[in-house]
Short mmCIF file of all heavy atoms in Angstrom, two decimals:
data_model
loop_
_atom_site.label_atom_id
_atom_site.label_comp_id
_atom_site.label_asym_id
_atom_site.label_seq_id
_atom_site.Cartn_x
_atom_site.Cartn_y
_atom_site.Cartn_z
N THR A 11 23.84 -12.16 6.42
CA THR A 11 22.43 -11.97 6.73
C THR A 11 22.14 -12.13 8.21
O THR A 11 22.59 -13.09 8.84
CB THR A 11 21.61 -12.99 5.92
OG1 THR A 11 21.58 -12.54 4.57
CG2 THR A 11 20.21 -13.11 6.45
N LYS A 20 8.59 -6.64 16.82
CA LYS A 20 7.50 -6.47 15.86
C LYS A 20 6.60 -7.70 15.79
O LYS A 20 5.38 -7.57 15.75
CB LYS A 20 8.06 -6.14 14.47
CG LYS A 20 8.53 -4.68 14.36
CD LYS A 20 9.15 -4.37 13.01
CE LYS A 20 9.47 -2.88 12.90
NZ LYS A 20 10.24 -2.55 11.68
N VAL A 21 7.18 -8.88 15.78
CA VAL A 21 6.32 -10.06 15.62
C VAL A 21 5.61 -10.46 16.91
O VAL A 21 4.68 -11.27 16.87
CB VAL A 21 7.08 -11.29 15.07
CG1 VAL A 21 7.73 -10.99 13.74
CG2 VAL A 21 8.09 -11.82 16.07
N ARG A 26 5.99 -0.38 19.63
CA ARG A 26 5.00 0.70 19.75
C ARG A 26 5.10 1.62 18.55
O ARG A 26 6.12 2.26 18.34
CB ARG A 26 5.25 1.50 21.02
CG ARG A 26 4.93 0.74 22.29
CD ARG A 26 3.44 0.90 22.63
NE ARG A 26 3.09 0.16 23.84
CZ ARG A 26 2.80 -1.14 23.85
NH1 ARG A 26 2.81 -1.85 22.73
NH2 ARG A 26 2.48 -1.74 24.97
N TYR A 27 4.03 1.67 17.80
CA TYR A 27 3.91 2.64 16.72
C TYR A 27 3.16 3.85 17.29
O TYR A 27 2.65 3.80 18.41
CB TYR A 27 3.14 2.02 15.55
CG TYR A 27 3.84 0.82 14.95
CD1 TYR A 27 3.72 -0.44 15.55
CD2 TYR A 27 4.62 0.93 13.82
CE1 TYR A 27 4.36 -1.54 15.02
CE2 TYR A 27 5.27 -0.16 13.28
CZ TYR A 27 5.14 -1.41 13.89
OH TYR A 27 5.77 -2.49 13.36
N LEU A 29 0.32 5.19 16.99
CA LEU A 29 -1.04 4.99 17.48
C LEU A 29 -1.08 4.09 18.72
O LEU A 29 -2.10 4.00 19.40
CB LEU A 29 -1.88 4.37 16.35
CG LEU A 29 -3.38 4.58 16.36
CD1 LEU A 29 -3.76 6.04 16.49
CD2 LEU A 29 -4.00 3.97 15.11
N ASP A 30 0.02 3.42 19.00
CA ASP A 30 0.05 2.52 20.16
C ASP A 30 0.52 3.24 21.42
O ASP A 30 0.54 2.64 22.50
CB ASP A 30 1.02 1.36 19.91
CG ASP A 30 0.66 0.56 18.66
OD1 ASP A 30 -0.53 0.57 18.28
OD2 ASP A 30 1.56 -0.06 18.08
N HIS A 196 -0.59 6.42 -4.87
CA HIS A 196 -0.59 6.74 -3.45
C HIS A 196 0.39 5.84 -2.73
O HIS A 196 0.53 4.67 -3.07
CB HIS A 196 -1.99 6.58 -2.86
CG HIS A 196 -2.06 7.10 -1.46
ND1 HIS A 196 -2.14 6.27 -0.37
CD2 HIS A 196 -2.02 8.36 -0.97
CE1 HIS A 196 -2.15 7.02 0.73
NE2 HIS A 196 -2.08 8.28 0.39
N HIS A 197 1.05 6.39 -1.71
CA HIS A 197 2.05 5.61 -0.99
C HIS A 197 1.43 4.42 -0.30
O HIS A 197 2.00 3.33 -0.29
CB HIS A 197 2.76 6.50 0.03
CG HIS A 197 3.37 7.71 -0.59
ND1 HIS A 197 2.65 8.85 -0.87
CD2 HIS A 197 4.63 7.96 -1.01
CE1 HIS A 197 3.44 9.74 -1.44
NE2 HIS A 197 4.65 9.23 -1.54
N LEU A 200 0.68 1.09 5.39
CA LEU A 200 -0.47 0.62 6.18
C LEU A 200 -0.79 1.58 7.33
O LEU A 200 -1.94 1.86 7.61
CB LEU A 200 -0.19 -0.77 6.75
CG LEU A 200 -0.51 -1.94 5.82
CD1 LEU A 200 -0.55 -3.24 6.62
CD2 LEU A 200 -1.81 -1.74 5.08
N ARG A 202 -1.50 4.89 9.07
CA ARG A 202 -1.92 6.24 8.65
C ARG A 202 -1.05 7.28 9.36
O ARG A 202 -0.36 6.99 10.31
CB ARG A 202 -3.38 6.45 9.02
CG ARG A 202 -4.34 5.56 8.25
CD ARG A 202 -5.73 5.64 8.85
NE ARG A 202 -5.82 4.81 10.04
CZ ARG A 202 -6.52 5.11 11.13
NH1 ARG A 202 -7.20 6.22 11.19
NH2 ARG A 202 -6.54 4.30 12.15
N GLY A 251 5.60 1.87 8.06
CA GLY A 251 5.74 2.04 6.62
C GLY A 251 5.68 3.51 6.27
O GLY A 251 4.82 4.26 6.74
N GLN A 283 -8.86 6.98 6.96
CA GLN A 283 -8.34 6.43 5.71
C GLN A 283 -8.47 7.39 4.53
O GLN A 283 -7.54 7.57 3.75
CB GLN A 283 -9.02 5.11 5.40
CG GLN A 283 -8.31 4.39 4.29
CD GLN A 283 -8.92 3.07 3.92
OE1 GLN A 283 -8.31 2.29 3.27
NE2 GLN A 283 -10.14 2.82 4.33
N ARG A 366 8.83 5.49 -2.09
CA ARG A 366 9.77 4.40 -1.88
C ARG A 366 11.18 4.79 -2.30
O ARG A 366 11.83 4.12 -3.10
CB ARG A 366 9.33 3.14 -2.60
CG ARG A 366 10.05 1.91 -2.03
CD ARG A 366 9.21 0.67 -2.03
NE ARG A 366 9.98 -0.43 -1.46
CZ ARG A 366 9.46 -1.46 -0.85
NH1 ARG A 366 8.18 -1.55 -0.68
NH2 ARG A 366 10.22 -2.42 -0.37
N GLY A 483 11.28 0.71 7.59
CA GLY A 483 11.14 -0.59 6.94
C GLY A 483 12.31 -0.93 6.03
O GLY A 483 12.46 -2.07 5.60
N ASP A 659 20.04 -10.71 2.72
CA ASP A 659 18.62 -11.08 2.68
C ASP A 659 17.70 -9.88 2.87
O ASP A 659 16.60 -9.83 2.32
CB ASP A 659 18.31 -12.15 3.73
CG ASP A 659 18.71 -13.53 3.23
OD1 ASP A 659 19.34 -13.61 2.16
OD2 ASP A 659 18.38 -14.53 3.91
N SER A 663 14.91 -8.70 0.30
CA SER A 663 13.54 -8.45 0.75
C SER A 663 13.05 -7.09 0.26
O SER A 663 11.91 -6.95 -0.19
CB SER A 663 13.51 -8.56 2.28
OG SER A 663 12.40 -7.93 2.83
N GLN A 664 13.93 -6.08 0.30
CA GLN A 664 13.58 -4.78 -0.26
C GLN A 664 13.25 -4.89 -1.74
O GLN A 664 12.32 -4.30 -2.24
CB GLN A 664 14.76 -3.79 -0.12
CG GLN A 664 14.97 -3.24 1.25
CD GLN A 664 13.80 -2.40 1.70
OE1 GLN A 664 13.26 -1.60 0.95
NE2 GLN A 664 13.37 -2.60 2.92
N LYS A 666 12.22 -7.48 -3.47
CA LYS A 666 10.97 -8.19 -3.76
C LYS A 666 9.77 -7.31 -3.46
O LYS A 666 8.79 -7.28 -4.22
CB LYS A 666 10.90 -9.49 -2.96
CG LYS A 666 11.92 -10.52 -3.45
CD LYS A 666 11.87 -11.77 -2.60
CE LYS A 666 13.21 -12.01 -1.95
NZ LYS A 666 13.27 -13.19 -1.08
N GLY A 667 9.85 -6.57 -2.35
CA GLY A 667 8.76 -5.66 -2.02
C GLY A 667 8.62 -4.59 -3.09
O GLY A 667 7.52 -4.25 -3.51
N LEU A 670 6.95 -5.85 -6.36
CA LEU A 670 5.50 -5.96 -6.36
C LEU A 670 4.84 -4.58 -6.44
O LEU A 670 3.80 -4.41 -7.07
CB LEU A 670 5.03 -6.72 -5.12
CG LEU A 670 3.74 -7.49 -5.35
CD1 LEU A 670 3.89 -8.48 -6.48
CD2 LEU A 670 3.28 -8.18 -4.09
N GLN A 671 5.48 -3.60 -5.82
CA GLN A 671 4.94 -2.24 -5.95
C GLN A 671 5.04 -1.75 -7.38
O GLN A 671 4.15 -1.07 -7.88
CB GLN A 671 5.72 -1.28 -5.04
CG GLN A 671 4.96 -0.96 -3.79
CD GLN A 671 5.72 0.01 -2.90
OE1 GLN A 671 6.34 0.95 -3.37
NE2 GLN A 671 5.65 -0.25 -1.62
N GLU A 679 -2.29 0.58 -9.98
CA GLU A 679 -2.37 1.72 -9.07
C GLU A 679 -2.67 3.01 -9.81
O GLU A 679 -1.94 3.39 -10.72
CB GLU A 679 -1.07 1.84 -8.27
CG GLU A 679 -0.94 0.73 -7.27
CD GLU A 679 0.15 0.99 -6.24
OE1 GLU A 679 0.41 2.16 -5.93
OE2 GLU A 679 0.74 0.01 -5.76
N ALA A 699 -1.22 -4.29 -4.31
CA ALA A 699 -1.01 -5.71 -4.61
C ALA A 699 -1.25 -6.58 -3.38
O ALA A 699 -0.80 -6.28 -2.28
CB ALA A 699 0.39 -5.93 -5.15
N MET A 700 -1.98 -7.68 -3.59
CA MET A 700 -2.29 -8.62 -2.52
C MET A 700 -1.44 -9.87 -2.68
O MET A 700 -0.76 -10.07 -3.68
CB MET A 700 -3.77 -9.05 -2.63
CG MET A 700 -4.75 -7.92 -2.68
SD MET A 700 -6.39 -8.43 -3.29
CE MET A 700 -6.86 -9.71 -2.14
N PHE A 701 -1.55 -10.76 -1.70
CA PHE A 701 -0.88 -12.05 -1.78
C PHE A 701 -1.17 -12.74 -3.11
O PHE A 701 -0.30 -13.35 -3.72
CB PHE A 701 -1.37 -12.97 -0.65
CG PHE A 701 -0.50 -12.93 0.57
CD1 PHE A 701 -0.84 -12.12 1.65
CD2 PHE A 701 0.63 -13.71 0.67
CE1 PHE A 701 -0.06 -12.09 2.80
CE2 PHE A 701 1.42 -13.69 1.81
CZ PHE A 701 1.08 -12.88 2.87
N LEU A 704 0.88 -11.99 -6.54
CA LEU A 704 2.29 -12.32 -6.69
C LEU A 704 2.50 -13.17 -7.96
O LEU A 704 1.83 -14.17 -8.13
CB LEU A 704 2.71 -13.11 -5.46
CG LEU A 704 4.16 -13.31 -5.15
CD1 LEU A 704 4.87 -11.98 -5.05
CD2 LEU A 704 4.28 -14.06 -3.83
N ARG B 29 -7.42 -2.49 22.09
CA ARG B 29 -6.31 -1.52 22.09
C ARG B 29 -6.48 -0.46 23.17
O ARG B 29 -5.53 -0.12 23.87
CB ARG B 29 -6.19 -0.85 20.72
CG ARG B 29 -5.75 -1.80 19.61
CD ARG B 29 -5.75 -1.12 18.24
NE ARG B 29 -5.01 0.11 18.29
CZ ARG B 29 -3.69 0.22 18.12
NH1 ARG B 29 -3.00 -0.85 17.82
NH2 ARG B 29 -3.10 1.38 18.20
N THR B 35 -2.02 -3.60 22.22
CA THR B 35 -1.88 -2.87 20.96
C THR B 35 -1.24 -3.71 19.87
O THR B 35 -0.82 -3.18 18.84
CB THR B 35 -1.06 -1.58 21.17
OG1 THR B 35 0.19 -1.94 21.75
CG2 THR B 35 -1.78 -0.61 22.09
N LYS B 38 -3.18 -4.22 15.04
CA LYS B 38 -2.93 -2.85 14.58
C LYS B 38 -4.18 -2.24 13.97
O LYS B 38 -4.98 -2.94 13.34
CB LYS B 38 -1.81 -2.85 13.52
CG LYS B 38 -0.47 -3.27 14.08
CD LYS B 38 0.06 -2.21 15.02
CE LYS B 38 1.26 -2.63 15.79
NZ LYS B 38 1.01 -2.74 17.24
N GLU B 39 -4.30 -0.94 14.12
CA GLU B 39 -5.36 -0.23 13.44
C GLU B 39 -4.76 0.42 12.22
O GLU B 39 -3.85 1.24 12.32
CB GLU B 39 -5.96 0.84 14.36
CG GLU B 39 -7.13 1.54 13.70
CD GLU B 39 -7.64 2.72 14.52
OE1 GLU B 39 -7.78 2.58 15.75
OE2 GLU B 39 -7.90 3.76 13.90
N ALA B 40 -5.25 0.05 11.04
CA ALA B 40 -4.72 0.67 9.83
C ALA B 40 -5.87 1.33 9.08
O ALA B 40 -6.22 2.45 9.38
CB ALA B 40 -3.99 -0.36 9.00
N GLU B 43 -11.43 0.00 8.17
CA GLU B 43 -12.66 -0.19 7.38
C GLU B 43 -12.73 -1.58 6.76
O GLU B 43 -13.40 -1.79 5.75
CB GLU B 43 -12.75 0.85 6.26
CG GLU B 43 -13.03 2.23 6.77
CD GLU B 43 -13.30 3.24 5.66
OE1 GLU B 43 -13.48 2.82 4.50
OE2 GLU B 43 -13.32 4.43 5.97
N VAL B 76 -2.13 -11.44 18.99
CA VAL B 76 -0.71 -11.77 18.86
C VAL B 76 -0.05 -11.88 20.23
O VAL B 76 0.89 -12.68 20.41
CB VAL B 76 0.01 -10.74 17.96
CG1 VAL B 76 0.15 -9.39 18.65
CG2 VAL B 76 1.37 -11.26 17.51
N GLN B 88 6.20 -17.03 14.46
CA GLN B 88 6.92 -15.79 14.77
C GLN B 88 8.39 -15.94 14.45
O GLN B 88 9.03 -15.08 13.85
CB GLN B 88 6.74 -15.44 16.25
CG GLN B 88 5.31 -15.03 16.59
CD GLN B 88 5.11 -14.83 18.08
OE1 GLN B 88 5.51 -15.69 18.89
NE2 GLN B 88 4.48 -13.74 18.47
N ILE B 92 10.63 -13.96 11.47
CA ILE B 92 11.88 -13.24 11.72
C ILE B 92 12.99 -13.79 10.82
O ILE B 92 13.66 -13.05 10.11
CB ILE B 92 12.32 -13.40 13.20
CG1 ILE B 92 11.30 -12.73 14.13
CG2 ILE B 92 13.72 -12.81 13.40
CD1 ILE B 92 11.60 -12.95 15.61
N HIS B 95 12.76 -13.14 7.08
CA HIS B 95 12.65 -11.72 6.72
C HIS B 95 11.28 -11.37 6.16
O HIS B 95 11.17 -10.60 5.21
CB HIS B 95 13.74 -11.30 5.73
CG HIS B 95 15.07 -11.85 6.10
ND1 HIS B 95 15.80 -11.35 7.15
CD2 HIS B 95 15.76 -12.91 5.63
CE1 HIS B 95 16.89 -12.07 7.29
NE2 HIS B 95 16.89 -13.02 6.39
N LEU B 97 9.11 -9.50 7.20
CA LEU B 97 8.57 -8.23 7.67
C LEU B 97 9.56 -7.12 7.39
O LEU B 97 10.76 -7.35 7.33
CB LEU B 97 8.28 -8.28 9.18
CG LEU B 97 9.49 -8.29 10.12
CD1 LEU B 97 9.14 -7.67 11.43
CD2 LEU B 97 9.99 -9.70 10.31
N GLN B 98 9.01 -5.94 7.17
CA GLN B 98 9.86 -4.75 7.10
C GLN B 98 9.36 -3.77 8.15
O GLN B 98 9.86 -3.77 9.27
CB GLN B 98 9.86 -4.19 5.68
CG GLN B 98 10.68 -5.09 4.73
CD GLN B 98 10.67 -4.62 3.30
OE1 GLN B 98 10.41 -3.48 2.99
NE2 GLN B 98 10.98 -5.53 2.38
N CYS B 99 8.34 -2.97 7.82
CA CYS B 99 7.87 -2.05 8.86
C CYS B 99 7.17 -2.81 9.97
O CYS B 99 7.08 -2.34 11.09
CB CYS B 99 6.96 -0.99 8.26
SG CYS B 99 5.26 -1.53 7.97
N GLY B 100 6.65 -3.98 9.66
CA GLY B 100 6.06 -4.83 10.69
C GLY B 100 4.63 -4.51 11.05
O GLY B 100 4.04 -5.17 11.91
N LEU B 107 0.32 -13.08 11.21
CA LEU B 107 0.64 -14.22 12.08
C LEU B 107 -0.63 -14.94 12.51
O LEU B 107 -0.69 -16.17 12.54
CB LEU B 107 1.42 -13.74 13.30
CG LEU B 107 2.88 -13.40 13.00
CD1 LEU B 107 3.50 -12.58 14.11
CD2 LEU B 107 3.69 -14.69 12.77
N ARG B 126 -1.23 -18.38 -0.04
CA ARG B 126 -1.63 -17.11 -0.65
C ARG B 126 -3.11 -16.87 -0.49
O ARG B 126 -3.55 -15.76 -0.22
CB ARG B 126 -1.43 -17.17 -2.16
CG ARG B 126 -0.07 -16.99 -2.63
CD ARG B 126 -0.22 -17.08 -4.11
NE ARG B 126 1.05 -17.23 -4.73
CZ ARG B 126 1.34 -16.71 -5.92
NH1 ARG B 126 0.42 -16.06 -6.58
NH2 ARG B 126 2.51 -16.87 -6.43
N LEU B 129 -4.17 -16.01 3.02
CA LEU B 129 -3.69 -14.72 3.49
C LEU B 129 -4.14 -13.55 2.59
O LEU B 129 -3.71 -12.42 2.80
CB LEU B 129 -2.17 -14.73 3.59
CG LEU B 129 -1.60 -15.53 4.78
CD1 LEU B 129 -0.12 -15.79 4.61
CD2 LEU B 129 -1.85 -14.81 6.10
N ALA B 130 -5.02 -13.85 1.65
CA ALA B 130 -5.42 -12.80 0.70
C ALA B 130 -6.03 -11.59 1.38
O ALA B 130 -6.00 -10.49 0.84
CB ALA B 130 -6.39 -13.37 -0.34
N ASN B 132 -4.94 -10.12 4.00
CA ASN B 132 -3.92 -9.36 4.74
C ASN B 132 -3.02 -8.65 3.75
O ASN B 132 -2.30 -9.30 2.99
CB ASN B 132 -3.08 -10.31 5.60
CG ASN B 132 -3.86 -10.89 6.75
OD1 ASN B 132 -4.61 -11.86 6.58
ND2 ASN B 132 -3.72 -10.31 7.91
N ARG B 135 2.40 -3.76 2.43
CA ARG B 135 2.87 -2.83 1.42
C ARG B 135 4.38 -2.93 1.23
O ARG B 135 4.91 -2.42 0.26
CB ARG B 135 2.49 -1.40 1.85
CG ARG B 135 2.80 -0.31 0.85
CD ARG B 135 2.15 -0.53 -0.49
NE ARG B 135 1.94 0.72 -1.22
CZ ARG B 135 1.68 0.76 -2.52
NH1 ARG B 135 1.59 -0.36 -3.21
NH2 ARG B 135 1.49 1.91 -3.13
N CYS B 136 5.07 -3.57 2.17
CA CYS B 136 6.53 -3.51 2.13
C CYS B 136 7.21 -4.72 1.50
O CYS B 136 8.12 -4.56 0.71
CB CYS B 136 7.08 -3.35 3.54
SG CYS B 136 6.43 -1.97 4.47
N THR B 137 6.82 -5.91 1.89
CA THR B 137 7.70 -7.06 1.65
C THR B 137 7.55 -7.75 0.31
O THR B 137 8.41 -8.53 -0.09
CB THR B 137 7.48 -8.17 2.69
OG1 THR B 137 6.13 -8.63 2.54
CG2 THR B 137 7.69 -7.66 4.08
N GLY B 138 6.41 -7.55 -0.35
CA GLY B 138 6.21 -8.30 -1.59
C GLY B 138 5.82 -9.75 -1.35
O GLY B 138 5.81 -10.55 -2.28
N TYR B 139 5.50 -10.11 -0.12
CA TYR B 139 4.86 -11.38 0.24
C TYR B 139 5.71 -12.65 0.14
O TYR B 139 5.48 -13.61 0.87
CB TYR B 139 3.57 -11.61 -0.56
CG TYR B 139 2.55 -10.51 -0.41
CD1 TYR B 139 2.18 -9.71 -1.48
CD2 TYR B 139 1.97 -10.26 0.83
CE1 TYR B 139 1.25 -8.69 -1.34
CE2 TYR B 139 1.03 -9.24 0.98
CZ TYR B 139 0.68 -8.46 -0.11
OH TYR B 139 -0.23 -7.47 0.04
N THR B 140 6.66 -12.70 -0.78
CA THR B 140 7.38 -13.95 -1.01
C THR B 140 7.96 -14.53 0.28
O THR B 140 7.83 -15.72 0.55
CB THR B 140 8.55 -13.69 -1.99
OG1 THR B 140 8.07 -12.86 -3.02
CG2 THR B 140 9.09 -14.97 -2.56
N ASP B 141 8.59 -13.67 1.06
CA ASP B 141 9.25 -14.16 2.26
C ASP B 141 8.26 -14.54 3.35
O ASP B 141 8.55 -15.37 4.21
CB ASP B 141 10.23 -13.10 2.78
CG ASP B 141 11.35 -12.83 1.78
OD1 ASP B 141 11.64 -13.72 0.95
OD2 ASP B 141 11.94 -11.73 1.81
#
Side-chain angles (χ1 to χ4, degrees):
Chain A
T11 285
K20 284 177 174 172
V21 302
R26 290 274 179 276
Y27 298 82
L29 205 52
D30 303 334
H196 188 253
H197 304 82
L200 275 195
R202 294 169 280 143
Q283 192 180 196
R366 198 146 180 153
D659 280 7
S663 161
Q664 284 296 317
K666 290 178 240 179
L670 210 58
Q671 258 181 40
E679 290 193 30
M700 306 163 58
F701 266 97
L704 195 56
Chain B
R29 293 175 52 86
T35 56
K38 295 291 171 246
E39 183 187 316
E43 289 188 12
V76 71
Q88 291 174 312
I92 295 175
H95 316 286
L97 72 152
Q98 287 177 21
C99 80
L107 285 164
R126 281 181 193 214
L129 286 166
N132 290 81
R135 185 57 154 164
C136 305
T137 63
Y139 303 115
T140 317
D141 296 336

